[in-house]
């Protein structure tokens, strides 16, 4: 189960501007285009009955091939920043020599900072379960991408409209606390499909010499009545990650995550 990925970012206005004009482009000089590529080799076993039906109906080994494009425009400086973005991407299931498109996904929104607060708002349109957030350059950790991919292949390959929001508090240059929520609906009937909440506590790089870290809590299928009573259940994922500089540019990283498949036991 190997994951390969790459992202190339390009600032076109900076590239084409004459040297004497590079510092005079204003905020639009930071306009960027990102091109993404992803290959997840043999992400699931074809015998899983709850996987994507194309995969479950064959004995061939499978892989996921993805391509994405995103646009961003960081505006503002210091404690007031605003960055609108747009991303579009395509994912295919590859079974032997055959390719089956899961369909494109689109996401649009904005993120930024306002004093001690940081924020993000995003809307999604996904065909056949694909989520453009798999390629979203604002995802900070590999496990977030892997989590988005796993959602596709476990009985969730449906068209959906969705939205997501994030709000957090910055503790100066030391770290932050962030809470996020996202929900998905059927695009025709607008019937609710699923949701996910997340909380994360981060210690920023530079707050402690040679060390930074984060701890996270993720819950799927959240109901108002069960938010507190079922903090740990089969739809919960918790974990932490720490980085320690050991030799100049080299870092030692440790990551631990825990799920509760047996109803929290």
């Amino acid at each position: 189960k190997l994951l390969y990925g790459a992202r190339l970012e390009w600032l076109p206005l900076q590239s084409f501007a004459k040297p004497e004009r590079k510092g005079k482009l204003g905020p639009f000089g930071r306009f960027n285009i990102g091109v993404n590529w992803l290959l997840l080799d043999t992400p699931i076993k074809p015998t899983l009955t709850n996987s994507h039906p194309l995969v479950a109906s064959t004995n061939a080994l499978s892989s996921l091939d993805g391509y994405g494009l995103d646009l961003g425009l960081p505006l503002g400086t210091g404690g007031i920043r605003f960055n609108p973005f747009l991303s579009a991407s395509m994912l295919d299931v590859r079974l032997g020599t055959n390719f089956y498109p899961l369909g494109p996904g689109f996401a649009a929104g904005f993120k930024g900072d306002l004093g001690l607060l940081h924020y993000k708002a995003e809307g999604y349109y996904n065909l056949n379960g694909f989520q453009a957030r798999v390629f979203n350059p604002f995802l900070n950790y590999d496990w977030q991408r892997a989590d988005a991919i796993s959602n596709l292949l476990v009985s969730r390959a449906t068209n959906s409209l969705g939205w997501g929001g994030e709000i957090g508090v910055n503790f100066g240059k030391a770290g932050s606390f962030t809470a996020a929520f996202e929900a998905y609906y059927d695009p025709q009937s607008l019937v609710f499909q699923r949701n996910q909440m997340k909380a994360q506590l981060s210690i920023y790089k530079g707050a402690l010499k040679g060390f930074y870290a984060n701890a996270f809590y993720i819950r799927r299928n959240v109901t108002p009545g069960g938010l507190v009573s079922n903090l740990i259940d089969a739809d919960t994922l918790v974990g932490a990650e720490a980085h320690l500089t050991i030799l100049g540019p080299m870092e030692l990283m440790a990551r631990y995550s825990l799920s509760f498949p047996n109803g929290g036991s």
Side-chain angles (χ1 to χ4, degrees):
K1 299 181 180 180
L2 302 176
L3 175 66
Y4 308 87
R7 181 172 185 271
L8 176 66
E9 184 173 285
W10 178 43
L11 280 68
L13 298 183
Q14 291 279 0
S15 299
F16 292 121
K18 295 180 180 180
E20 64 271 17
R21 292 285 302 165
K22 287 186 182 293
K24 302 178 181 179
L25 296 174
F28 292 97
R30 294 193 290 261
F31 172 70
N32 59 78
I33 300 174
V35 179
N36 307 276
W37 168 78
L38 179 76
L39 171 62
L40 185 62
D41 186 45
T42 319
I44 57 175
K45 295 183 181 298
T47 54
L48 289 178
T49 57
N50 64 341
S51 64
H52 190 281
L54 286 173
V55 180
S57 63
T58 178
N59 292 322
L61 294 178
S62 63
S63 69
L64 295 176
D65 303 272
Y67 311 90
L69 177 72
D70 60 79
L71 310 175
L73 180 60
L75 301 172
T77 59
I80 300 179
R81 293 187 294 172
F82 179 75
N83 184 355
F85 59 85
L86 172 69
S87 63
S89 35
M90 172 68 74
L91 198 69
D92 294 321
V93 175
R94 176 155 49 96
L95 305 175
T97 58
N98 297 318
F99 290 82
Y100 301 91
L102 279 176
F106 304 92
F110 56 88
K111 66 172 299 187
D113 297 279
L114 185 61
L116 296 178
L117 300 178
H118 62 266
Y119 59 87
K120 182 173 74 170
E122 197 170 9
Y124 317 101
Y125 178 59
N126 313 298
L127 293 178
N128 295 316
F130 181 46
Q131 301 174 10
R133 65 192 299 271
V134 172
F135 295 97
N136 192 328
F138 305 110
L139 294 181
N140 295 320
Y141 299 99
D142 293 340
W143 60 262
Q144 291 177 294
R145 297 182 190 276
D147 185 61
I149 293 169
S150 69
N151 281 341
L152 304 177
L153 300 174
V154 186
S155 301
R156 297 181 182 183
T158 55
N159 295 350
S160 64
L161 284 172
W163 62 271
E166 176 181 300
I167 188 73
V169 180
N170 301 317
F171 306 123
K173 296 181 179 181
S176 67
F177 175 78
T178 301
F181 184 84
E182 59 186 47
Y184 294 89
Y185 304 83
D186 181 275
Q188 280 76 42
S189 64
L190 298 182
V191 172
F192 171 78
Q193 291 180 337
R194 63 188 184 275
N195 63 26
Q196 177 174 286
M197 65 167 287
K198 173 193 167 188
Q200 179 167 304
L201 180 65
S202 301
I203 299 174
Y204 291 157
K205 191 172 186 177
L208 298 174
K209 187 175 181 179
F211 177 81
Y212 61 104
N214 74 83
F216 63 87
Y217 169 89
I218 292 177
R219 261 292 290 291
R220 295 193 186 101
N221 303 319
V222 180
T223 59
L227 180 60
V228 176
S229 60
N230 296 320
L231 284 175
I232 300 296
D233 61 16
D235 290 316
T236 303
L237 178 68
V238 297
E241 181 176 293
H243 297 250
L244 179 65
T245 301
I246 51 176
L247 291 173
M250 296 184 65
E251 290 182 354
L252 179 66
M253 184 197 74
R255 177 186 297 153
Y256 177 79
S257 60
L258 181 64
S259 60
F260 306 86
N262 296 318
S265 62

